[in-house]
Amino acid sequence: MSKPKLAIIPGANCAGCDYSLLDLGEKIIDVLIATEIAYWPTAADLKLEDLEKLPDGSIDIVLFEGAVNNDETEEMAKLARKKAKNLIAFGACACFGGIPGLANVASRDSILQKAYIKSLSTVNQQGIVPYKITKVDGGELTVPELLETVKSLDQVVKVDYYLPGCPPPLKLTADALVAALSGKLPPKGTVFGSMKSVCDDCKRIRENKRITEIKRYHQIVPDAEKCLLEQGIVCMGPATRGGCDAICPTVNIPCRGCMGPTSESRDQGARMLSALSSVIGLEGEAGVSDEDVRKLVLQIKDPLGTFYRYTLPKSIMRRVWGVRE
Amino acid sequence: MVEGEEIRIGVYVCHCGVNIAAVVDVKKVAEELSKVPNVVVAKDYQFMCSQPGQNIIVEDIKEHKLNRVVVAACSPRMHEPTFQRAVERGGLNPYLFEMANIREHCSWVHEKEKSAATEKAIKIVKAAVAKARLLKPLKVEKVKVIPRALVIGGGIAGIRASLDIANAGFEVHLVETRPSIGGNMARLDKTFPTLDCSQCILTPLMVEASRHPNITLHTYTDVVSIDGSVGNFKVKLLKKPRYVNEAKCTGCGVCVTKCPWTVPSEFDLGLGKRKAIYFEFPQAVPLIPVIDPEHCMYFQKGTCRACEKFCPPKAINFDQKPEEIELEVGAIILATGYGLYDVAKNMPEYGYRKYKDVITGLELERLVSATGPTKGHILRPSDGKEPKKVAIILCVGSRDEKHLRFCCRFGCVAGLKHAYYIVSHIPDAEVYICYRDIRTFGKGYEEFYERIRSYENVKFIRGSPMEILQDADGSLYFDVFDANTNRVVTLRPDLIVLETGIVPHPTFKEVAKVLKCSVGPDGFALELHPKLRPTETSVDGVFLAGAVQGPKDIPDTVAQAGAAASSAIALMSRGYVETIPYVSSINEDLCSGCGICQPLCAFDAISLVKKEDGKQVAKVDISKCKGCGVCVAACPSGAAQQLGFDDEQISAMVRTLTG
């Protein structure tokens, strides 16, 4: 019997998910022995045409990493779906749009203008902006064209499993690979991770969730034992799916939410906003004026990047054009 | 209903006479709804809430084997229980019912857009059907009510409420922080407008309360904690040591006479003196003295012991310790009363506490009282002389946006009564009443005002005084602009009486915290509804009597005390309370114990508990939960859901309405 085929296909990614596989250490050899690599541009010398040649549905496990942000990654997503028996959205970008998804606060044109013309560090006297087709002396140059909206993998094709995280926790990756290789995959649609939030694994002591002041991480040396949120640091742990063993809070870093929403939550950012606005400024509430509340809330810097760092494309918010162009 | 059973929904569209049918095409609504999946029967009827209307539901449930019912009619506020009972009569769980409001939310607000209103009504009813598909049966539990009440505060409100409850045959525990019951009313000399002697009408009630077999008095006692919920409160009291054995003491008062140490009397508001061992006042109930260790020579320096030496029944016990008392009660009445606005601190322009001859109305009551510091002679504090010219200033702190916005509701008539005191004790005295408006709304009050107004030596000046100043000779004077004569008048009174605004009694803040009951912006206890539920609070089983709820005179206080008592009696004689089915439910498999919900619960229903594996989860005490949904909205993980309003049900409605 032939070995199961494994492909790792990149979308709009930083290759961090790739590197996280190297954390498997020597066990990666077991994976390589147990599988046949069908496509993995980072590690194996296989070309796109090798992938295209394979029969549809013939690759047992396809890990797709990265968001879908241009016509090339969109093409790759469709190809991945076509060739995969089991398509796994690998990492926060594939699952929720991730960091590239934050581009959805602006339009494609304004992003290009900012990157190639307006930013202070740009020197571009000819004002060249890389559109799909650029005419140059001697012909035309083509580059992938940015989509108007950055999407998660499942906003483009049907996804079988989700393996969130930035990068995905090694333990979960190992669980998923073992399950796939042994033919014991859970029901389709399963998200690898915990049913509970990050707080469930966090060892910090939670006592009183009344928050009267929001602090940025550099402003204090947080107490190593107490809940970070209770110390005024916005920690996304309560609204974020667990399964990462709360590694960030364990080393005094607030959770940024890379595991995405919990199993019962539709919108991670909205859930966290709702939770935080409920507990903020409770002390002596009767005497709190609108202005006090405004000041308190303005202590949260970059709210979008805080609450939707990894999940903006999957949020229930709709895009409104032209407001902040 | 059995798991996996086919869902069969009956939809009933009410005409509400012409209220709905004149705008919404109810026949069309029923017809459209009959096409919706799972809807087995859809009908319209003139008055669904009528007996025949309800019977249609009962019969259809049986005939069409319905297992969900939707009624499209008015607001659920009035008739949801009506239809729930009908559904129950049909043999279904009453919570397998959903109401669609097509009157307030549709026909009443879209009178001129009939066809659009019909479309909207169809959407509203379809949304209700979408929710109805996902309804689950809910349970109501009955919890026993302990037939015993706690009354906090031993003023006239607490005494009256205690007597009413005790007379109805229930046990009452009356707690008072001072050594005697009686409260502020015991300080008054006379009550308006009848000029009854205050003590003469109060003391019989005090004595009755102390002797009533159903009443246990806890004087000189504070409330430490209150846990539990309606029907089953667990109360902890702390009885402060009197250093006098209550069982042995006969109240003879020898100890007080022999005690050589004197200090200002709290009861006389500092105008008179008391001993280090003292009775709160001569008619105190219980008539047992208290040693004030702060001023007792034995406690301070280890010497004296005069009281112990002379006490005939040997009741003095310097070793007495605070005593903790635990009680279980079914109902609680809050009757902590009022305190005076701190004029000395907040309104220095009046010179109160700076000038001895500026006193409050309550202090004047003590000066007039036969048992007061001057034995009932009005003598001014500075030199003990009889004042010949007295200014009475109304609204000191009240109805003033810089101080207290509200009216104290008795200052005007009290001021009139105080004018009466002056002219009846010192017939040649002149009294000036500085007022903004005279409000004499109570029974007999206007007549009393007319009587005082007719006195030749009582003058009314419409205006608030400017700063009260002192001349080189020590006399006080102030200017006041009289709006009636358009002139500035300068007054040089011998005595100035301030009718100060009132605030909740200082002890109320602590009690409110312990009980978690809502407090209004003015600091008084917030009633559940200002008109229809004036004695109830946000905490079930806790009722309000008297000035704890807001400024009140004696008749209103006594009336509310009776109302609060009857609410408590109703609760205890029914004997049980039903839990709310729409409570919050926290799924332990999803809860990670982050703790967001816990401080938000206004009813103290959520606690964080450690499970066997050491993990923390939030737990809801459904006997305390009111189903407000605050924790559900705040839960960042979705572990908290409100039964009857879960995410799935609400999302289904939203999808139907927006889809």
Side-chain angles (χ1 to χ4, degrees):
Chain A
M1 210 180 113
S2 62
K3 288 194 269 185
K5 288 194 179 67
L6 172 70
I8 298 170
I9 300 179
N13 71 330
C14 69
C17 300
D18 262 356
Y19 295 146
S20 81
L21 284 175
L22 298 179
D23 285 344
L24 284 169
E26 288 170 11
K27 282 191 188 138
I28 200 158
I29 296 170
D30 299 339
V31 175
L32 294 176
I33 291 169
T35 60
E36 182 192 331
I37 302 295
Y39 187 69
W40 187 3
T42 323
D45 188 16
L46 290 158
K47 303 294 179 223
L48 186 57
E49 56 192 53
D50 298 321
L51 177 62
E52 285 168 340
K53 266 189 272 176
L54 290 170
D56 290 353
S58 67
I59 310 178
D60 300 271
I61 312 149
V62 173
L63 301 179
F64 186 93
E65 49 176 7
V68 176
N69 71 331
N70 59 30
D71 54 3
E72 186 195 13
T73 50
E74 190 170 33
E75 212 44 55
M76 291 305 286
K78 286 176 182 163
L79 187 63
R81 175 70 272 180
K82 216 159 97 182
K83 302 296 172 191
K85 198 178 280 173
N86 292 298
L87 176 61
I88 302 180
F90 185 48
C93 297
C95 290
F96 324 115
I99 300 274
L102 288 171
N104 286 357
V105 293
S107 70
R108 171 178 56 190
D109 286 341
S110 68
I111 290 169
L112 289 172
Q113 285 293 316
K114 180 86 179 181
Y116 290 93
I117 309 285
K118 289 185 187 160
S119 89
L120 290 177
S121 58
T122 301
V123 180
N124 182 359
Q125 281 161 353
Q126 291 157 281
I128 295 168
V129 175
Y131 284 106
K132 174 105 181 154
I133 297 163
T134 311
K135 283 192 175 123
V136 289
D137 290 344
E140 285 179 341
L141 291 177
T142 62
V143 290
E145 188 176 32
L146 282 184
L147 301 177
E148 191 64 68
T149 300
V150 180
K151 297 169 185 168
S152 63
L153 181 61
D154 64 0
Q155 287 171 337
V156 181
V157 294
K158 192 177 176 307
V159 169
D160 300 321
Y161 298 98
Y162 298 84
L163 189 41
C166 182
L170 196 63
K171 191 172 75 82
L172 296 181
T173 307
D175 285 352
L177 288 176
V178 168
L181 294 175
S182 59
K184 286 178 187 157
L185 278 166
K188 294 223 166 163
T190 298
V191 182
F192 288 94
S194 161
M195 292 288 280
K196 300 193 176 193
S197 77
V198 172
C199 300
D200 193 49
D201 291 324
C202 183
K203 302 281 184 296
R204 288 173 177 271
I205 298 160
R206 285 154 265 163
E207 278 172 333
N208 186 351
K209 276 281 177 307
R210 289 183 168 91
I211 300 165
T212 51
E213 195 185 351
I214 299 283
K215 296 182 194 98
R216 298 179 76 185
Y217 187 68
H218 65 269
Q219 290 172 321
I220 58 164
V221 177
D223 183 296
E225 306 282 317
K226 271 173 68 182
C227 168
L228 289 169
L229 196 54
E230 287 173 19
Q231 297 180 61
I233 295 172
V234 180
C235 173
M236 289 287 288
T240 303
R241 182 187 291 273
C244 56
D245 286 332
I247 42 174
C248 298
T250 305
V251 295
N252 248 0
I253 297 288
C255 169
R256 297 172 168 212
C258 71
M259 290 290 285
T262 59
S263 53
E264 289 301 302
S265 150
R266 223 171 283 265
D267 189 305
Q268 183 186 19
R271 284 276 185 189
M272 190 63 203
L273 264 172
S274 176
L276 196 59
S277 55
S278 301
V279 291
I280 210 168
L282 262 181
E283 222 72 65
E285 203 155 63
V288 177
S289 70
D290 288 356
E291 184 55 26
D292 293 339
V293 173
R294 213 177 72 88
K295 273 190 196 151
L296 193 61
V297 172
L298 283 179
Q299 292 173 348
I300 304 173
K301 303 299 173 193
D302 184 19
L304 190 88
T306 302
F307 299 112
Y308 290 99
R309 185 184 297 263
Y310 297 97
T311 59
L312 186 60
K314 287 279 273 181
S315 88
I316 55 175
M317 287 197 290
R318 296 202 181 163
R319 295 185 75 181
V320 179
W321 296 106
V323 175
R324 294 183 63 180
E325 294 288 302
Chain B
M1 105 132 232
V2 189
E3 193 80 19
E5 191 186 10
E6 180 206 358
I7 288 175
R8 298 175 66 81
I9 305 174
V11 176
Y12 302 91
V13 185
C14 182
H15 296 207
C16 197
V18 291
N19 274 303
I20 295 170
V23 178
V24 171
D25 182 347
V26 286
K27 293 234 182 298
K28 191 177 170 201
V29 175
E31 191 193 316
E32 283 298 315
L33 263 295
S34 67
K35 300 174 194 162
V36 173
N38 302 102
V39 175
V40 179
V41 53
K43 294 177 177 170
D44 64 283
Y45 188 74
Q46 196 145 25
F47 287 107
M48 280 308 298
C49 60
S50 68
Q51 204 57 43
Q54 293 181 46
N55 286 342
I56 299 176
I57 298 175
V58 178
E59 282 153 24
D60 278 4
I61 290 173
K62 288 169 186 157
E63 191 188 328
H64 296 283
K65 297 196 169 47
L66 301 180
N67 50 27
R68 300 285 192 288
V69 172
V70 173
V71 172
C74 49
S75 147
R77 175 119 203 152
M78 178 83 187
H79 279 306
E80 189 177 57
T82 311
F83 296 121
Q84 281 173 336
R85 279 194 298 271
V87 168
E88 201 171 18
R89 280 206 305 279
L92 289 181
N93 179 288
Y95 301 99
L96 295 173
F97 164 77
E98 186 62 27
M99 195 147 178
N101 183 355
I102 58 167
R103 191 178 75 179
E104 285 86 342
H105 287 179
C106 191
S107 67
W108 277 2
V109 288
H110 301 301
E111 246 177 274
K112 296 194 173 98
E113 315 140 275
K114 293 188 180 175
S115 73
T118 304
E119 290 310 308
K120 180 176 170 181
I122 292 169
K123 275 205 162 182
I124 293 173
V125 188
K126 278 183 176 171
V129 168
K131 185 183 173 193
R133 282 193 199 104
L134 301 166
L135 289 175
K136 297 172 193 97
L138 300 179
K139 248 198 334 212
V140 171
E141 279 167 36
K142 281 185 182 176
V143 180
K144 266 197 175 173
V145 173
I146 297 168
R148 188 181 299 126
L150 173 74
V151 177
I152 304 173
I156 180 61
I159 293 170
R160 185 68 261 168
S162 298
L163 285 171
D164 286 355
I165 298 171
N167 287 337
F170 293 99
E171 206 183 312
V172 183
H173 288 259
L174 174 56
V175 181
E176 166 59 47
T177 181
R178 297 293 310 161
S180 169
I181 57 171
N184 277 320
M185 187 176 168
R187 287 187 164 123
L188 307 184
D189 183 56
K190 289 182 170 53
T191 57
F192 58 73
T194 48
L195 302 174
D196 282 314
C197 157
S198 184
Q199 284 282 6
C200 311
I201 56 175
L202 178 65
T203 39
L205 296 180
M206 289 162 60
V207 172
E208 195 186 338
S210 74
R211 288 196 182 143
H212 203 294
N214 286 345
I215 299 179
T216 311
L217 279 189
H218 302 276
T219 46
Y220 213 40
T221 301
D222 290 327
V223 177
V224 178
S225 69
I226 299 175
D227 290 308
S229 55
V230 54
N232 297 276
F233 292 104
K234 286 177 183 57
V235 184
K236 263 194 197 142
L237 306 175
L238 193 73
K239 193 175 174 62
K240 295 172 271 193
R242 284 176 184 261
Y243 305 107
V244 174
N245 184 327
E246 290 182 38
K248 287 186 184 169
C249 177
T250 57
C252 68
V254 169
C255 54
V256 178
T257 329
K258 296 294 179 186
C259 176
W261 312 103
T262 54
V263 280
S265 150
E266 293 88 352
F267 186 77
D268 285 335
L269 304 156
L271 291 174
K273 301 270 191 217
R274 64 159 169 83
K275 296 289 183 67
I277 181 165
Y278 65 103
F279 293 110
E280 177 91 335
F281 50 93
Q283 307 91 327
V285 171
L287 196 63
I288 297 166
V290 181
I291 295 178
D292 161 13
E294 255 180 62
H295 297 99
C296 167
M297 218 21 82
Y298 173 70
F299 279 99
Q300 293 303 319
K301 302 221 166 107
T303 57
C304 186
R305 303 180 88 129
C307 51
E308 191 185 34
K309 196 158 43 176
F310 290 104
C311 175
K314 302 284 168 229
I316 304 292
N317 175 8
F318 289 114
D319 299 325
Q320 216 172 48
K321 295 275 174 289
E323 191 188 328
E324 202 164 87
I325 301 165
E326 289 187 16
L327 288 176
E328 291 191 347
V329 298
I332 296 173
I333 290 182
L334 281 182
T336 49
Y338 69 89
L340 295 184
Y341 186 58
D342 191 344
V343 174
K345 184 176 142 211
N346 300 315
M347 307 182 90
E349 62 272 27
Y350 282 107
Y352 177 61
R353 294 275 187 233
K354 186 172 164 197
Y355 311 124
K356 281 187 167 173
D357 294 333
V358 179
I359 63 170
T360 64
L362 207 55
E363 285 168 3
L364 181 69
E365 296 284 350
R366 296 314 303 146
L367 291 184
V368 178
S369 168
T371 61
T374 52
K375 304 276 176 284
H377 300 290
I378 301 178
L379 304 172
R380 63 179 197 169
S382 64
D383 54 9
K385 283 187 189 153
E386 210 167 61
K388 295 292 177 198
K389 203 168 182 181
V390 178
I392 295 173
I393 303 169
L394 306 189
C395 287
V396 176
S398 303
R399 304 173 63 214
D400 182 338
E401 57 182 32
K402 289 199 197 89
H403 299 283
L404 307 168
R405 299 194 75 141
F406 50 88
C407 167
C408 77
R409 293 183 94 248
F410 57 63
C412 289
V413 199
L416 296 171
K417 182 183 71 175
H418 294 155
Y420 167 83
Y421 286 168
I422 309 284
V423 296
S424 63
H425 280 69
I426 312 165
D428 60 339
E430 269 178 51
V431 180
Y432 294 86
I433 297 181
C434 300
Y435 71 102
R436 277 189 269 159
D437 300 290
I438 295 282
R439 297 178 166 186
T440 52
F441 49 83
K443 194 170 179 178
Y445 294 4
E446 182 66 18
E447 295 86 329
F448 185 65
Y449 173 36
E450 276 168 23
R451 173 176 166 191
I452 303 300
R453 188 122 208 177
S454 73
Y455 292 166
E456 265 178 29
N457 49 349
V458 177
K459 312 254 181 336
F460 286 77
I461 298 176
R462 185 169 195 154
S464 298
M466 293 162 213
E467 195 175 356
I468 294 174
L469 298 164
Q470 193 171 33
D471 240 346
D473 65 352
S475 65
L476 301 174
Y477 69 97
F478 62 82
D479 289 345
V480 51
F481 178 76
D482 186 349
N484 288 342
T485 57
N486 253 355
R487 273 201 303 204
V488 174
V489 185
T490 304
L491 288 178
R492 267 178 199 281
D494 302 325
L495 181 69
I496 299 172
V497 180
L498 307 179
E499 302 299 345
T500 50
I502 66 163
V503 291
H505 195 270
T507 52
F508 171 63
K509 219 173 174 180
E510 198 48 46
V511 173
K513 221 194 227 166
V514 160
L515 266 173
K516 292 206 160 44
C517 67
S518 302
V519 176
D522 49 11
F524 289 97
L526 197 65
E527 63 287 336
L528 206 53
H529 189 284
K531 291 179 180 63
L532 303 177
R533 303 172 89 171
T535 62
E536 292 164 74
T537 67
S538 57
V539 183
D540 266 355
V542 176
F543 306 102
L544 299 172
V548 66
Q549 182 229 354
K552 262 177 211 70
D553 56 10
I554 295 168
D556 285 2
T557 293
V558 171
Q560 198 189 18
S566 83
S567 300
I569 293 164
L571 172 69
M572 292 187 289
S573 34
R574 189 179 58 207
Y576 67 88
V577 281
E578 286 185 341
T579 58
I580 303 163
Y582 305 115
V583 287
S584 162
S585 152
I586 294 177
N587 185 339
E588 268 192 34
D589 296 335
L590 302 174
C591 174
S592 53
C594 73
I596 293 273
C597 54
Q598 197 256 343
L600 301 177
C601 182
F603 312 103
D604 203 18
I606 300 181
S607 50
L608 295 172
V609 295
K610 279 245 186 307
K611 288 198 302 177
E612 279 169 17
D613 61 2
K615 295 278 175 77
Q616 189 167 283
V617 289
K619 262 203 154 51
V620 181
D621 177 349
I622 61 156
S623 68
K624 286 186 187 175
C625 177
K626 297 274 208 176
C628 71
V630 166
C631 58
V632 178
C635 176
S637 72
Q641 293 289 339
Q642 189 166 2
L643 300 182
F645 295 92
D646 65 31
D647 280 3
E648 217 190 329
Q649 293 164 348
I650 292 180
S651 303
M653 294 183 85
V654 173
R655 271 197 303 274
T656 311
L657 287 170
T658 56

